[in-house]
Amino acid sequence: MNSESSVDDSYFDYCPWDFALRASEKQRAAQTALQKRLADGGASFGPSSYVSPAAGVFTDVLRLGENSYIAGHAYVTGEVTAGADCSVNPYATVRGRVSLGDGVRIGAHSSLLGFNHGFTPDQYVHRQALTRKGITVGDDVWIGSHVVVLDGVTIGDHCVVGAGAVVTKDLPPWTVAAGNPARPLRDRRGQGSTPSGSGVTQGGPDGLGDAVARFADRARSQAAGLLTRSWNAGTGRYSDRPGAPETVRAHCDAVEIADLLLRSHPPQLSAAEHAERLRALQDPDSGLVPELAPDGGPGVLPAPAPDGWIDDGTAEYHVLSVGYALDLLGSRFAHPVHVVRRMTADRLVARLDSLPWRTRAWSAGAWVDCWATGAHRNLELGAEAGAPGALEALFGWLGTRVDPWTGMWGEAASPSAGRLQLVNGYYRLTRGSFAQFGLQVPYPERVVDSVLAHGGDPRWFAAGRQNACNVLDVAHPLWLAGQQTRHRAAEARAWAEEQLVQALERWRDGAGFGFGPAGEGGSGPGRGPGLQGTEMWLAIIWLLADLVGVADRLGYRPRGVHRPEATQSPARRIPAQPIPIDNSL
């Protein structure tokens, strides 16, 4: 983060969670010096921890874990230990012998008093001995503002203590408590819980909303490190993870992750430098973007097919990934996507007819996604989307070929193969066409039926078997159809909640998300965490959270390849639905 985006020192007294993202080099140096002075007195600090210089920290023992902070005007004395992701907010008091687990939030003006005075009648109180039973707080605990916790109390894992409470007795795990004295109100888990220690509940939107908010804070605090991990300073390129090949997609994934979590471009280059490197990769004759050559420069595309199209799946996907990355960087392609512009309506229809809708519906849908996205990019540049009538031919073909019983294109190849190709192809097709151009999908109720039937297939969605493509390809159709119908909305929400709980558990500190088990045919980068898995799961988590109703707690909304809805086209769109669609079946 450069000094141009820094803020006054006092800002971090009240918003210490922003220090890792917004501090200047001078402010970072001052923080390092402060922590060194405290460390000379016996304190220890985990990575990305922060202590406000306006806090009163006079401890005999202080251990502050990774991503934990003490805000301005807090008062901390005695023997205080805190795990990872803990916060002592402004004007809070933590004194005596206090032990905090991981993920503890202490609200402003609250007091944890891990000591006590004697008050026998034979002498003044200030002359009497102090006692220290100590306070123990477990993992994943939220202590609201103006709470007082008295000496000797243990607050169990996953508890929530309401604002203004006075806690005089132990609280068992998962308790929601409030009042003076504090009394248990309910079990935070509601109708069930995830495995012990996860910190994520299924007890309705309140608990799950807190969980996604904690996840987002955690991801944001580590985002810069994730990008550095995949950056090769020697070549000036990104790879999916250390040791993997440098690719165009990795660079685009880095841009999207930075936009989601840092609200900026990756810090390795300026926004203009990122954009210029990506723009330079576009082949000026075809408008496609081939994979990098071994020397890091633009690659070579295969010869065109008889209809003028260039069959290169990687270059086709780059129409999406590079185009959206340039959007986020405030730029555009240098050239129109000429292979789209040159395809006449009759050749387009012939190509659509020839795609493998029954055997490889995902490949067919991916081709439609590329062509439609290329048309969209051409409109942005003020060029024709395609040859006259081609864009209208696309939507006309889709409108007349959709199956009214499934709401999809193609069919399941066999009962043993299930609906995987059918549903995954539907996502790619509608992402680039209906969603991108802001049109309603046909037969949304049938879409929901088809997608929920597929989402219950344990081959793809049992715990530990999910990969990013398969979960995304259910979550987005449920979200997209859900903009038009409430059909089976409770079931869609229940599916999303189950998947969201499991998705949040997949984050790996310092490395991000892995894609997951390889997809059909061995596709995908595998289980190891990297940029592709991180970019995809961040978008998936937003979609799942929005289906559940807690997406606002994430603090981000996807704007790249996996964004939920249409962007505003600068030129024109399809004026209307090409044919009337009867959704009443």
Side-chain angles (χ1 to χ4, degrees):
M1 186 67 65
N2 59 47
S3 60
E4 293 178 353
S5 60
S6 63
V7 294
D8 292 340
D9 293 345
S10 61
Y11 173 84
F12 299 117
D13 296 338
Y14 299 96
C15 302
W17 48 84
D18 278 347
F19 185 85
L21 300 180
R22 304 187 62 182
S24 67
E25 292 305 318
K26 180 179 178 181
Q27 289 164 332
R28 295 178 194 278
Q31 177 63 198
T32 299
L34 172 59
Q35 291 193 14
K36 184 179 185 303
R37 289 197 300 273
L38 292 171
D40 290 343
S44 64
F45 302 93
S48 301
S49 58
Y50 174 78
V51 178
S52 168
V57 179
F58 310 105
T59 50
D60 301 313
V61 173
L62 175 63
R63 290 198 292 273
L64 203 60
E66 182 177 3
N67 301 317
S68 294
Y69 56 80
I70 298 173
H73 311 290
Y75 181 29
V76 182
T77 69
E79 301 174 14
V80 178
T81 62
D85 302 300
C86 292
S87 63
V88 180
N89 278 296
Y91 298 100
T93 297
V94 181
R95 301 191 63 198
R97 184 178 296 117
V98 179
S99 174
L100 309 178
D102 294 333
V104 177
R105 291 289 189 261
I106 300 172
H109 299 280
S110 288
S111 297
L112 278 66
L113 306 175
F115 70 99
N116 206 351
H117 283 279
F119 51 93
T120 58
D122 56 333
Q123 59 180 319
Y124 290 128
V125 170
H126 75 272
R127 297 182 183 275
Q128 299 194 32
L130 297 178
T131 59
R132 292 189 180 186
K133 297 179 182 178
I135 293 171
T136 300
V137 180
D139 296 336
D140 177 35
V141 173
W142 178 18
I143 297 173
S145 297
H146 294 279
V147 170
V148 177
V149 182
L150 298 184
D151 189 35
V153 165
T154 294
I155 298 177
D157 295 345
H158 315 300
C159 286
V160 175
V161 182
V166 178
V167 185
T168 61
K169 296 181 180 179
D170 292 353
L171 297 176
W174 298 104
T175 299
V176 177
N180 182 6
R183 295 179 177 85
L185 301 179
R186 61 182 177 89
D187 188 304
R188 178 180 158 194
R189 290 169 292 188
Q191 298 176 350
S193 68
T194 56
S196 175
S198 70
V200 181
T201 71
Q202 290 176 298
D206 292 341
L208 199 48
D210 292 342
V212 300
R214 287 193 302 272
F215 158 75
D217 287 343
R218 186 178 179 186
R220 272 189 286 270
S221 71
Q222 299 178 30
L226 299 182
L227 299 174
T228 301
R229 175 178 181 261
S230 293
W231 169 255
N232 186 330
T235 63
R237 297 290 184 187
Y238 292 92
S239 57
D240 184 68
R241 68 195 76 179
E246 296 166 357
T247 63
V248 174
R249 178 165 183 168
H251 196 154
C252 298
D253 287 336
V255 171
E256 294 212 25
I257 292 167
D259 182 74
L260 284 168
L261 297 179
L262 302 179
R263 300 180 184 177
S264 182
H265 56 272
Q268 285 74 30
L269 301 169
S270 70
E273 289 171 323
H274 281 293
E276 187 52 39
R277 290 197 181 191
L278 292 173
R279 281 165 55 89
L281 297 175
Q282 188 184 22
D283 174 51
D285 180 62
S286 67
L288 297 178
V289 180
E291 188 52 274
L292 297 174
D295 64 0
V300 178
L301 292 165
D307 63 2
W309 189 260
I310 296 176
D311 289 300
D312 182 322
T314 300
E316 290 172 2
Y317 190 81
H318 291 163
V319 174
L320 282 62
S321 59
V322 176
Y324 292 115
L326 289 172
D327 270 351
L328 300 179
L329 295 167
S331 184
R332 294 177 182 171
F333 275 130
H335 312 282
V337 185
H338 292 300
V339 291
V340 171
R341 290 184 66 205
R342 294 168 185 158
M343 184 165 278
T344 61
D346 58 339
R347 286 185 174 181
L348 173 62
V349 169
R351 168 71 68 148
L352 291 168
D353 286 337
S354 71
L355 293 173
W357 293 103
R358 189 179 188 281
T359 58
R360 290 184 293 120
W362 182 89
S363 296
W367 190 89
V368 172
D369 190 2
C370 172
W371 195 94
T373 301
H376 184 79
R377 293 296 168 205
N378 291 344
L379 291 174
E380 284 185 325
L381 292 171
E384 287 295 322
L391 190 58
E392 291 77 8
L394 171 70
F395 283 96
W397 190 97
L398 294 175
T400 55
R401 298 304 200 281
V402 62
D403 183 348
W405 299 108
T406 64
M408 300 190 172
W409 291 265
E411 57 185 276
S414 68
S416 61
R419 300 172 176 85
L420 181 66
Q421 284 278 332
L422 181 68
V423 172
N424 288 10
Y426 179 88
Y427 163 68
R428 285 297 305 271
L429 183 152
T430 56
R431 192 219 70 82
S433 56
F434 291 90
Q436 182 158 235
F437 283 86
L439 298 176
Q440 292 191 340
V441 295
Y443 308 111
E445 291 83 6
R446 303 294 77 77
V447 171
V448 172
D449 291 339
S450 298
V451 169
L452 285 177
H454 172 58
D457 191 329
R459 290 176 292 180
W460 319 113
F461 299 101
R465 296 186 180 181
Q466 306 100 321
N467 68 36
C469 272
N470 293 344
V471 178
L472 172 66
D473 295 355
V474 170
H476 187 269
L478 287 177
W479 187 93
L480 189 62
Q483 307 308 297
Q484 298 173 225
T485 178
R486 300 301 297 163
H487 179 62
R488 301 178 68 181
E491 294 171 74
R493 175 173 176 156
W495 184 90
E497 184 171 339
E498 179 181 5
Q499 295 297 323
L500 178 57
V501 167
Q502 295 179 47
L504 295 176
E505 296 289 338
R506 296 190 180 99
W507 180 265
R508 297 293 176 262
D509 284 333
F513 285 112
F515 174 85
E520 190 175 38
S523 61
R527 295 178 182 271
L531 296 181
Q532 181 179 339
T534 300
E535 182 274 319
M536 292 187 72
W537 280 109
L538 287 172
I540 292 164
I541 284 170
W542 186 93
L543 287 163
L544 295 172
D546 203 56
L547 286 166
V548 174
V550 296
D552 61 308
R553 302 294 302 278
L554 286 167
Y556 68 77
R557 184 185 185 94
R559 300 194 303 138
V561 173
H562 299 114
R563 74 203 190 289
E565 69 278 279
T567 55
Q568 292 299 314
S569 173
R572 61 180 175 85
R573 298 188 184 188
I574 299 297
Q577 200 85 355
I579 60 171
I581 299 295
D582 181 4
N583 290 326
S584 63
L585 289 176

